[in-house]
Amino acid sequence: MSNLLENWEQKAKDKQKANKQFLQKLQTRRGKGVEKLLPELHDEAFSKIDCLECAGCCKSISPRFKAPDIKRISKHLGMKEATFIDTYLRIDKDEDYVVKSSPCPFLGEDNYCGIYDVRPGDCHNYPYTDSFDFFKRPNITYENSTICPAVYYVLERLKTEMKL
């Protein structure tokens, strides 16, 4: 298991098709205990991975900023909501507010988040490796496996556990 994270980015890219198929198969096993494995595998992954060494999520994807997020963050920054939106956000193809550019404007050079205590809900829940969302959105999960070592790790461990 110690080699699992070695060169994970390339392995994840190489296994994208297989991982997508695996996640689709897992959806058919819903309710058969698969989701019960996630909290333990999540904890196992994060005992080996330090997000501050990577910050791949903050460097390449944007969370959705929902109305409560915008209100909370703009207040924290001492900005009017409209100014916060104009300064940092745009509307994407799904009609969600997301950051205008990558990396996230709140990501520091040290990979610390400048708004960590008030970050959007999507950031708080990412990478969803301990929740049912991991299975609910297989396309996003397999894409996240190329961005986040924890997602890749949990996926690979699930394959070992489930033997699908």
Side-chain angles (χ1 to χ4, degrees):
M1 211 45 59
S2 61
N3 293 348
L4 184 59
L5 290 171
E6 191 175 299
N7 199 23
W8 73 268
E9 295 103 326
Q10 187 59 51
K11 289 187 219 174
K13 287 176 184 164
D14 294 344
K15 295 179 178 185
Q16 268 195 305
K17 185 176 180 180
N19 285 343
K20 185 175 184 178
Q21 291 171 341
F22 174 73
L23 285 162
Q24 288 169 339
K25 284 181 186 176
L26 282 181
Q27 287 195 316
T28 64
R29 296 183 66 111
R30 208 177 285 154
K32 295 184 180 175
V34 179
E35 68 281 350
K36 292 177 184 169
L37 297 172
L38 289 179
E40 184 178 327
L41 293 176
H42 171 88
D43 291 344
E44 184 180 307
F46 282 100
S47 73
K48 300 171 184 316
I49 297 163
D50 179 1
C51 290
L52 293 173
E53 290 180 15
C54 176
C57 51
C58 304
K59 292 175 182 174
S60 60
I61 57 176
S62 175
R64 293 167 297 171
F65 285 73
K66 297 184 177 181
D69 299 322
I70 292 169
K71 183 178 183 107
R72 185 179 61 256
I73 296 165
S74 60
K75 182 179 178 183
H76 174 79
L77 296 173
M79 301 173 84
K80 291 184 179 189
E81 290 177 37
T83 305
F84 173 76
I85 290 168
D86 290 343
T87 305
Y88 296 108
L89 305 180
R90 66 177 175 82
I91 296 178
D92 70 2
K93 65 180 175 14
D94 297 323
E95 302 293 316
D96 291 319
Y97 280 110
V98 295
V99 292
K100 286 182 178 178
S101 61
S102 291
C104 177
F106 305 108
L107 181 67
E109 288 184 28
D110 57 0
N111 287 342
Y112 277 88
C113 174
I115 59 167
Y116 187 80
D117 291 336
V118 294
R119 68 196 183 277
D122 275 359
C123 296
H124 185 268
N125 295 322
Y126 192 84
Y128 304 97
T129 48
D130 61 349
S131 77
F132 192 69
D133 285 337
F134 191 80
F135 304 118
K136 194 165 93 176
R137 300 184 185 116
N139 290 341
I140 291 172
T141 299
Y142 95 87
E143 286 177 24
N144 284 341
S145 73
T146 65
I147 296 167
C148 177
V151 176
Y152 174 77
Y153 184 92
V154 170
L155 216 65
E156 293 303 310
R157 289 286 287 117
L158 273 174
K159 285 192 229 175
T160 303
E161 294 289 322
M162 300 308 299
K163 295 175 179 67
L164 290 180

mmCIF file of all heavy atoms in Angstrom, residues 51-52 54-63 99 101-108 111-113 116 119 123 126 147:
data_model
loop_
_atom_site.group_PDB
_atom_site.id
_atom_site.type_symbol
_atom_site.label_atom_id
_atom_site.label_comp_id
_atom_site.label_asym_id
_atom_site.label_seq_id
_atom_site.Cartn_x
_atom_site.Cartn_y
_atom_site.Cartn_z
ATOM 1 N N CYS A 51 -2.878 18.071 2.683
ATOM 2 C CA CYS A 51 -3.457 18.956 1.657
ATOM 3 C C CYS A 51 -2.569 20.162 1.371
ATOM 4 O O CYS A 51 -2.544 20.664 0.241
ATOM 5 C CB CYS A 51 -4.833 19.442 2.096
ATOM 6 S SG CYS A 51 -6.082 18.147 2.095
ATOM 7 N N LEU A 52 -1.851 20.633 2.356
ATOM 8 C CA LEU A 52 -1.017 21.815 2.168
ATOM 9 C C LEU A 52 0.182 21.545 1.259
ATOM 10 O O LEU A 52 0.764 22.472 0.717
ATOM 11 C CB LEU A 52 -0.541 22.365 3.514
ATOM 12 C CG LEU A 52 -1.652 22.934 4.398
ATOM 13 C CD1 LEU A 52 -1.099 23.300 5.763
ATOM 14 C CD2 LEU A 52 -2.319 24.117 3.733
ATOM 15 N N CYS A 54 -0.183 19.832 -1.487
ATOM 16 C CA CYS A 54 -0.761 19.669 -2.818
ATOM 17 C C CYS A 54 -1.566 20.890 -3.263
ATOM 18 O O CYS A 54 -1.198 21.568 -4.209
ATOM 19 C CB CYS A 54 -1.659 18.425 -2.812
ATOM 20 S SG CYS A 54 -2.555 18.116 -4.327
ATOM 21 N N ALA A 55 -2.690 21.126 -2.608
ATOM 22 C CA ALA A 55 -3.638 22.202 -2.955
ATOM 23 C C ALA A 55 -4.085 22.115 -4.408
ATOM 24 O O ALA A 55 -4.435 23.123 -5.015
ATOM 25 C CB ALA A 55 -3.057 23.570 -2.636
ATOM 26 N N GLY A 56 -4.087 20.909 -4.968
ATOM 27 C CA GLY A 56 -4.497 20.723 -6.356
ATOM 28 C C GLY A 56 -5.902 21.215 -6.627
ATOM 29 O O GLY A 56 -6.184 21.775 -7.686
ATOM 30 N N CYS A 57 -6.779 21.044 -5.662
ATOM 31 C CA CYS A 57 -8.158 21.504 -5.838
ATOM 32 C C CYS A 57 -8.198 23.025 -5.984
ATOM 33 O O CYS A 57 -8.840 23.553 -6.899
ATOM 34 C CB CYS A 57 -9.032 21.038 -4.677
ATOM 35 S SG CYS A 57 -8.385 21.393 -3.027
ATOM 36 N N CYS A 58 -7.509 23.713 -5.121
ATOM 37 C CA CYS A 58 -7.519 25.184 -5.140
ATOM 38 C C CYS A 58 -6.788 25.751 -6.360
ATOM 39 O O CYS A 58 -7.049 26.879 -6.774
ATOM 40 C CB CYS A 58 -6.860 25.727 -3.883
ATOM 41 S SG CYS A 58 -7.606 25.141 -2.356
ATOM 42 N N LYS A 59 -5.901 24.963 -6.911
ATOM 43 C CA LYS A 59 -5.125 25.419 -8.066
ATOM 44 C C LYS A 59 -5.823 25.150 -9.395
ATOM 45 O O LYS A 59 -5.461 25.738 -10.408
ATOM 46 C CB LYS A 59 -3.752 24.739 -8.070
ATOM 47 C CG LYS A 59 -2.865 25.196 -6.927
ATOM 48 C CD LYS A 59 -1.577 24.416 -6.880
ATOM 49 C CE LYS A 59 -0.729 24.851 -5.686
ATOM 50 N NZ LYS A 59 0.462 24.013 -5.532
ATOM 51 N N SER A 60 -6.817 24.248 -9.394
ATOM 52 C CA SER A 60 -7.357 23.851 -10.691
ATOM 53 C C SER A 60 -8.874 23.870 -10.837
ATOM 54 O O SER A 60 -9.365 23.917 -11.956
ATOM 55 C CB SER A 60 -6.840 22.460 -11.046
ATOM 56 O OG SER A 60 -7.250 21.529 -10.068
ATOM 57 N N ILE A 61 -9.624 23.808 -9.748
ATOM 58 C CA ILE A 61 -11.083 23.809 -9.851
ATOM 59 C C ILE A 61 -11.656 24.854 -8.900
ATOM 60 O O ILE A 61 -10.988 25.297 -7.975
ATOM 61 C CB ILE A 61 -11.695 22.422 -9.554
ATOM 62 C CG1 ILE A 61 -11.288 21.921 -8.166
ATOM 63 C CG2 ILE A 61 -11.339 21.432 -10.634
ATOM 64 C CD1 ILE A 61 -11.918 20.609 -7.774
ATOM 65 N N SER A 62 -12.899 25.211 -9.139
ATOM 66 C CA SER A 62 -13.549 26.188 -8.274
ATOM 67 C C SER A 62 -14.741 25.560 -7.580
ATOM 68 O O SER A 62 -15.500 24.813 -8.183
ATOM 69 C CB SER A 62 -14.043 27.383 -9.089
ATOM 70 O OG SER A 62 -14.785 28.267 -8.255
ATOM 71 N N PRO A 63 -14.926 25.923 -6.319
ATOM 72 C CA PRO A 63 -16.160 25.522 -5.658
ATOM 73 C C PRO A 63 -17.307 26.383 -6.175
ATOM 74 O O PRO A 63 -17.087 27.426 -6.793
ATOM 75 C CB PRO A 63 -15.878 25.852 -4.184
ATOM 76 C CG PRO A 63 -14.967 27.038 -4.258
ATOM 77 C CD PRO A 63 -14.087 26.751 -5.454
ATOM 78 N N VAL A 99 -15.154 30.991 -8.955
ATOM 79 C CA VAL A 99 -14.104 32.011 -9.051
ATOM 80 C C VAL A 99 -13.800 32.303 -10.516
ATOM 81 O O VAL A 99 -13.946 31.434 -11.376
ATOM 82 C CB VAL A 99 -12.810 31.628 -8.290
ATOM 83 C CG1 VAL A 99 -13.039 31.628 -6.786
ATOM 84 C CG2 VAL A 99 -12.231 30.322 -8.757
ATOM 85 N N SER A 101 -10.932 32.886 -11.950
ATOM 86 C CA SER A 101 -9.738 32.265 -12.517
ATOM 87 C C SER A 101 -9.104 31.295 -11.525
ATOM 88 O O SER A 101 -9.418 31.313 -10.339
ATOM 89 C CB SER A 101 -8.722 33.346 -12.893
ATOM 90 O OG SER A 101 -8.337 34.060 -11.730
ATOM 91 N N SER A 102 -8.240 30.478 -12.047
ATOM 92 C CA SER A 102 -7.473 29.533 -11.221
ATOM 93 C C SER A 102 -6.018 29.960 -11.247
ATOM 94 O O SER A 102 -5.563 30.452 -12.260
ATOM 95 C CB SER A 102 -7.592 28.113 -11.775
ATOM 96 O OG SER A 102 -8.900 27.641 -11.603
ATOM 97 N N PRO A 103 -5.310 29.790 -10.177
ATOM 98 C CA PRO A 103 -5.746 29.233 -8.899
ATOM 99 C C PRO A 103 -6.712 30.166 -8.181
ATOM 100 O O PRO A 103 -6.865 31.329 -8.541
ATOM 101 C CB PRO A 103 -4.448 29.081 -8.114
ATOM 102 C CG PRO A 103 -3.504 30.074 -8.691
ATOM 103 C CD PRO A 103 -3.896 30.209 -10.133
ATOM 104 N N CYS A 104 -7.336 29.643 -7.146
ATOM 105 C CA CYS A 104 -8.284 30.419 -6.361
ATOM 106 C C CYS A 104 -7.595 31.682 -5.845
ATOM 107 O O CYS A 104 -6.451 31.621 -5.366
ATOM 108 C CB CYS A 104 -8.774 29.576 -5.185
ATOM 109 S SG CYS A 104 -9.906 30.470 -4.093
ATOM 110 N N PRO A 105 -8.256 32.819 -5.936
ATOM 111 C CA PRO A 105 -7.630 34.063 -5.479
ATOM 112 C C PRO A 105 -7.366 34.088 -3.971
ATOM 113 O O PRO A 105 -6.599 34.935 -3.504
ATOM 114 C CB PRO A 105 -8.647 35.139 -5.879
ATOM 115 C CG PRO A 105 -9.944 34.435 -5.997
ATOM 116 C CD PRO A 105 -9.610 33.038 -6.450
ATOM 117 N N PHE A 106 -7.949 33.178 -3.230
ATOM 118 C CA PHE A 106 -7.758 33.150 -1.786
ATOM 119 C C PHE A 106 -6.650 32.180 -1.354
ATOM 120 O O PHE A 106 -6.362 32.052 -0.173
ATOM 121 C CB PHE A 106 -9.081 32.815 -1.084
ATOM 122 C CG PHE A 106 -10.174 33.766 -1.476
ATOM 123 C CD1 PHE A 106 -11.208 33.344 -2.298
ATOM 124 C CD2 PHE A 106 -10.142 35.089 -1.063
ATOM 125 C CE1 PHE A 106 -12.211 34.223 -2.683
ATOM 126 C CE2 PHE A 106 -11.134 35.982 -1.452
ATOM 127 C CZ PHE A 106 -12.171 35.555 -2.258
ATOM 128 N N LEU A 107 -6.043 31.516 -2.315
ATOM 129 C CA LEU A 107 -4.960 30.571 -2.032
ATOM 130 C C LEU A 107 -3.640 31.325 -1.918
ATOM 131 O O LEU A 107 -3.237 32.040 -2.830
ATOM 132 C CB LEU A 107 -4.851 29.521 -3.147
ATOM 133 C CG LEU A 107 -3.767 28.463 -2.971
ATOM 134 C CD1 LEU A 107 -4.084 27.560 -1.777
ATOM 135 C CD2 LEU A 107 -3.627 27.639 -4.241
ATOM 136 N N GLY A 108 -2.974 31.151 -0.788
ATOM 137 C CA GLY A 108 -1.682 31.801 -0.577
ATOM 138 C C GLY A 108 -0.549 30.990 -1.197
ATOM 139 O O GLY A 108 -0.715 29.815 -1.538
ATOM 140 N N ASN A 111 0.077 27.660 0.198
ATOM 141 C CA ASN A 111 -1.058 26.751 0.039
ATOM 142 C C ASN A 111 -2.085 26.853 1.164
ATOM 143 O O ASN A 111 -2.968 26.008 1.264
ATOM 144 C CB ASN A 111 -0.625 25.291 -0.144
ATOM 145 C CG ASN A 111 -0.043 25.046 -1.508
ATOM 146 O OD1 ASN A 111 -0.230 25.827 -2.430
ATOM 147 N ND2 ASN A 111 0.677 23.945 -1.654
ATOM 148 N N TYR A 112 -1.992 27.870 1.993
ATOM 149 C CA TYR A 112 -3.022 28.113 2.998
ATOM 150 C C TYR A 112 -4.138 28.939 2.377
ATOM 151 O O TYR A 112 -3.893 29.784 1.510
ATOM 152 C CB TYR A 112 -2.452 28.859 4.209
ATOM 153 C CG TYR A 112 -1.771 27.957 5.205
ATOM 154 C CD1 TYR A 112 -0.424 27.648 5.073
ATOM 155 C CD2 TYR A 112 -2.476 27.407 6.275
ATOM 156 C CE1 TYR A 112 0.212 26.810 5.983
ATOM 157 C CE2 TYR A 112 -1.847 26.573 7.190
ATOM 158 C CZ TYR A 112 -0.513 26.279 7.034
ATOM 159 O OH TYR A 112 0.095 25.451 7.929
ATOM 160 N N CYS A 113 -5.341 28.720 2.842
ATOM 161 C CA CYS A 113 -6.514 29.445 2.353
ATOM 162 C C CYS A 113 -6.699 30.717 3.180
ATOM 163 O O CYS A 113 -6.767 30.660 4.410
ATOM 164 C CB CYS A 113 -7.751 28.558 2.478
ATOM 165 S SG CYS A 113 -9.293 29.397 2.058
ATOM 166 N N TYR A 116 -10.167 30.444 5.038
ATOM 167 C CA TYR A 116 -10.425 29.073 5.482
ATOM 168 C C TYR A 116 -11.591 28.973 6.466
ATOM 169 O O TYR A 116 -12.448 28.099 6.335
ATOM 170 C CB TYR A 116 -9.168 28.474 6.106
ATOM 171 C CG TYR A 116 -9.311 27.010 6.434
ATOM 172 C CD1 TYR A 116 -9.172 26.043 5.443
ATOM 173 C CD2 TYR A 116 -9.603 26.589 7.727
ATOM 174 C CE1 TYR A 116 -9.323 24.696 5.728
ATOM 175 C CE2 TYR A 116 -9.754 25.250 8.026
ATOM 176 C CZ TYR A 116 -9.613 24.308 7.024
ATOM 177 O OH TYR A 116 -9.771 22.975 7.314
ATOM 178 N N ARG A 119 -14.768 29.573 4.393
ATOM 179 C CA ARG A 119 -14.726 29.046 3.029
ATOM 180 C C ARG A 119 -16.086 28.500 2.594
ATOM 181 O O ARG A 119 -16.921 28.157 3.440
ATOM 182 C CB ARG A 119 -13.652 27.981 2.908
ATOM 183 C CG ARG A 119 -13.935 26.693 3.666
ATOM 184 C CD ARG A 119 -12.665 25.868 3.800
ATOM 185 N NE ARG A 119 -12.870 24.590 4.446
ATOM 186 C CZ ARG A 119 -12.921 24.398 5.763
ATOM 187 N NH1 ARG A 119 -12.816 25.412 6.597
ATOM 188 N NH2 ARG A 119 -13.079 23.187 6.245
ATOM 189 N N CYS A 123 -15.848 23.727 -0.526
ATOM 190 C CA CYS A 123 -14.463 23.568 -0.055
ATOM 191 C C CYS A 123 -14.440 22.766 1.242
ATOM 192 O O CYS A 123 -13.564 21.919 1.442
ATOM 193 C CB CYS A 123 -13.812 24.926 0.186
ATOM 194 S SG CYS A 123 -13.627 25.926 -1.293
ATOM 195 N N TYR A 126 -15.082 19.078 0.295
ATOM 196 C CA TYR A 126 -14.174 18.458 -0.667
ATOM 197 C C TYR A 126 -13.142 17.630 0.080
ATOM 198 O O TYR A 126 -12.667 18.066 1.126
ATOM 199 C CB TYR A 126 -13.475 19.550 -1.507
ATOM 200 C CG TYR A 126 -12.743 18.993 -2.701
ATOM 201 C CD1 TYR A 126 -13.404 18.741 -3.888
ATOM 202 C CD2 TYR A 126 -11.391 18.702 -2.627
ATOM 203 C CE1 TYR A 126 -12.737 18.213 -4.985
ATOM 204 C CE2 TYR A 126 -10.718 18.178 -3.718
ATOM 205 C CZ TYR A 126 -11.390 17.939 -4.883
ATOM 206 O OH TYR A 126 -10.732 17.412 -5.955
ATOM 207 N N ILE A 147 -7.029 15.104 -9.646
ATOM 208 C CA ILE A 147 -6.731 16.385 -9.011
ATOM 209 C C ILE A 147 -6.298 16.207 -7.565
ATOM 210 O O ILE A 147 -5.437 16.916 -7.066
ATOM 211 C CB ILE A 147 -7.976 17.306 -9.061
ATOM 212 C CG1 ILE A 147 -8.321 17.639 -10.502
ATOM 213 C CG2 ILE A 147 -7.782 18.574 -8.240
ATOM 214 C CD1 ILE A 147 -9.693 18.267 -10.686
#
